[in-house]
Amino acid sequence: DTGVSQDPRHKITKRGQNVTFRCDPISEHNRLYWYRQTLGQGPEFLTYFQNEAQLEKSRLLSDRFSAERPKGSFSTLEIQRTEQGDSAMYLCASSLVLAGVYEQYFGPGTRLTVT
Amino acid sequence: AQTVTQSQPEMSVQEAETVTLSCTYDTSESNYYLFWYKQPPSRQMILVIRQEAYKQQNATENRFSVNFQKAAKSFSLKISDSQLGDTAMYFCAFMKFNGGATNKLIFGTGTLLAVQP
């Protein structure tokens, strides 16, 4: 068990370009969450999956954002036509659906800079 | 909608001293969980301590303890015998009860704690 991993760790892109981030959760975890953290703020919820089903999306997730978890394992978050306001740390977390288990395990994040 | 407020953007404490970080929250839910997460510089967020709202007893984890005041909607974190490794951003977070599963976390803005040698 190597924990939650995210790739890439850093991404610099020009405004208008598309970017995709990947998250690999802890292997047996069936819930996967995406959060966004801007400078000086706490993480804000974007969306989450249980297995391959996307169960909730925040209103922060505009139509330029799309997330997938095709086989219930890793997940991708794509941002189309990036804007400078998309610059943030994107965090992934995973958890096990089991009575009495309430901890989400976080990855190191992907820091996006849009120039 | 739930909100979490941390009114102390930065705090400093001397090594081996005790420090208390404040957190208040607002919710109409009766069953929920509260957490303190630690985010060390350039490292991933880890769970420090958890409190179930239905439990009256305050949670403790080694040097970390909470003061949970449900009526006042207050949830402070006390760190005893502070160590240099406690230097980090600390986030208070709320989670609505969701049966036997986790739910999305609602975070405060964080308190940056610096432990001075």
Side-chain angles (χ1 to χ4, degrees):
Chain A
D1 178 6
T2 56
V4 179
S5 61
Q6 293 187 244
D7 184 68
R9 294 290 304 277
H10 303 274
K11 179 71 177 179
I12 300 174
T13 191
K14 293 186 177 180
R15 189 177 55 183
Q17 297 294 304
N18 298 344
V19 294
T20 300
F21 311 139
R22 176 178 170 128
C23 170
D24 286 88
I26 293 171
S27 59
E28 68 270 23
H29 284 189
N30 35 21
R31 284 216 170 169
L32 187 149
Y33 295 80
W34 285 99
Y35 295 87
R36 181 173 71 185
Q37 184 177 16
T38 53
L39 203 60
Q41 299 295 317
E44 295 174 291
F45 168 76
L46 293 178
T47 187
Y48 87 93
F49 294 83
Q50 178 155 323
N51 300 315
E52 64 275 8
Q54 189 172 19
L55 296 187
E56 186 176 351
K57 293 194 291 187
S58 162
R59 57 183 173 80
L60 292 176
L61 212 68
S62 75
D63 55 7
R64 295 185 299 105
F65 287 70
S66 63
E68 295 183 341
R69 195 182 182 198
K71 296 183 179 178
S73 56
F74 72 91
S75 176
T76 58
L77 178 66
E78 181 184 16
I79 309 175
Q80 295 182 327
R81 305 181 303 280
T82 52
E83 301 173 355
Q84 287 188 322
D86 297 331
S87 294
M89 176 77 86
Y90 289 83
L91 298 171
C92 175
S94 72
S95 68
L96 189 61
V97 178
L98 186 66
V101 174
Y102 300 106
E103 182 172 356
Q104 293 183 24
Y105 294 80
F106 283 81
T110 293
R111 182 168 296 283
L112 173 67
T113 302
V114 182
T115 60
Chain B
Q2 293 81 27
T3 59
V4 177
T5 301
Q6 293 179 251
S7 58
Q8 305 155 312
E10 296 183 24
M11 293 193 73
S12 182
V13 64
Q14 293 294 124
E15 203 174 359
E17 298 287 300
T18 295
V19 64
T20 299
L21 279 56
S22 301
C23 173
T24 59
Y25 61 95
D26 190 25
T27 184
S28 57
E29 300 288 333
S30 58
N31 205 356
Y32 52 88
Y33 299 86
L34 296 164
F35 304 86
W36 280 98
Y37 275 87
K38 168 185 176 181
Q39 189 175 40
S42 302
R43 295 184 63 187
Q44 56 213 76
M45 197 160 343
I46 57 174
L47 179 65
V48 174
I49 197 165
R50 179 189 84 225
Q51 175 78 42
E52 292 89 337
Y54 64 86
K55 289 187 177 178
Q56 292 187 330
Q57 186 172 9
N58 289 324
T60 62
E61 286 288 342
N62 301 314
R63 298 183 295 108
F64 299 88
S65 62
V66 299
N67 183 3
F68 174 48
Q69 302 290 326
K70 190 172 184 180
K73 295 181 181 172
S74 169
F75 183 60
S76 61
L77 174 70
K78 186 171 81 171
I79 306 174
S80 304
D81 185 25
S82 297
Q83 300 175 0
L84 296 178
D86 295 333
T87 293
M89 182 72 87
Y90 286 81
F91 291 101
C92 178
F94 171 99
M95 185 177 81
K96 189 169 76 170
F97 180 74
N98 189 29
T102 59
N103 205 340
K104 63 187 177 188
L105 291 164
I106 309 298
F107 287 90
T109 52
T111 296
L112 182 61
L113 176 67
V115 180
Q116 307 293 340

